[in-house]
Amino acid sequence: MLAENGYEVRIPDLTGALEAGEPYCSRQAGLIAGSAMTGSATPVVLIGHSGAGALLAPAARRVRQLAGFVFVDAGLPIPGHTQMSTMPPDLADQLKQLADPDGWLPPWPQWWGADGLAELIPDAEVRERFEAQCPRLPLSMFDEVQPDGEVEAPAAYLRLSEAYDGPAARARELLWPLTELDSNHLAPLTEPGRVTGALLDLLDRIGAGAGATELLVAPARGQ
């Protein structure tokens, strides 16, 4: 839908970093940046959903023509900290209990049970396709210290669910353009038109017009 509105859109596949092993976070930031290194002088906006938000600033350090950031129901960069130390304690405990003896977590949809996922994605066909694309994740990825990087370009925030009220509030404090939808974390799947409309508005508000900007959309690392 973004491409239909005049943008060149690229979506990096971050799962290769899981197979390559540690350090996962810096490898994933490199994959995001590498997707933008096409030799073109076209400015790039980095868009990150969920856990990919923390990787945008480190990736931006390697992008030649950076036009800005949009965080979509995403965590903000936490250089020098681990995701495990900054997530809610009950979620951290849940992940430790879910990990198998080799330190691997089941795919993200299995964290919430069949009923929980069905509530987020009512359409059975969409839900099945989503589940098939989610890999297992190493628990150690969440204990890695996040690489350095700052948000040093125009940025905006799209809040989709109450779970991300905290980052949205921080975006408001930073005077970023902010849109808050009353939806759910997987709204890019369940309400793509609505999410696209909100993204187009935010891109316009940070000066990233269609036709002159490339969008690099980083999915959540477990999805």
Side-chain angles (χ1 to χ4, degrees):
M1 288 182 178
L2 290 168
E4 289 170 357
N5 280 275
Y7 287 97
E8 180 179 351
V9 182
R10 299 176 185 274
I11 303 176
D13 182 355
L14 304 185
T15 57
L18 303 179
E19 301 168 2
E22 299 178 359
Y24 299 106
C25 298
S26 59
R27 289 184 191 276
Q28 289 170 330
L31 288 171
I32 294 171
S35 296
M37 293 180 181
T38 61
S40 169
T42 303
V44 174
V45 174
L46 300 180
I47 302 176
H49 176 245
S50 193
L55 301 174
L56 296 191
R61 300 176 66 190
R62 313 182 202 185
V63 175
R64 217 178 320 173
Q65 296 286 334
L66 180 66
F69 302 87
V70 181
F71 296 85
V72 181
D73 230 34
L76 301 180
I78 49 172
H81 299 275
T82 69
Q83 284 195 304
M84 191 70 77
S85 68
T86 57
M87 68 176 57
D90 55 343
L91 177 57
D93 291 340
Q94 178 188 2
L95 295 188
K96 293 172 184 176
Q97 294 172 11
L98 284 173
D100 68 17
D102 294 323
W104 284 86
L105 294 165
W108 185 85
Q110 296 179 24
W111 299 5
W112 320 108
D115 292 341
L117 188 63
E119 184 176 345
L120 290 174
I121 311 177
D123 186 298
E125 183 178 343
V126 174
R127 187 167 65 248
E128 182 178 347
R129 188 165 66 247
F130 172 72
E131 288 185 275
Q133 295 175 353
C134 294
R136 294 194 309 155
L137 298 172
L139 181 64
S140 60
M141 182 178 75
F142 298 92
D143 275 321
E144 283 189 351
V145 175
Q146 296 290 303
D148 292 337
E150 301 293 335
V151 179
E152 297 178 335
Y157 199 94
L158 175 55
R159 177 267 200 197
L160 304 175
S161 65
E162 292 182 358
Y164 287 84
D165 281 348
R170 179 56 181 157
R172 185 181 294 107
E173 292 174 0
L174 294 169
L175 303 180
W176 293 357
L178 169 66
T179 297
E180 297 181 88
L181 300 183
D182 183 17
S183 188
N184 71 78
H185 188 55
L186 299 183
L189 283 176
T190 59
E191 297 185 279
R194 191 179 180 202
V195 172
T196 299
L199 284 173
L200 292 172
D201 176 65
L202 289 172
L203 289 166
D204 185 62
R205 291 165 67 184
I206 63 171
T213 309
E214 176 183 320
L215 304 181
L216 186 52
V217 184
R221 290 182 286 169
Q223 302 166 10

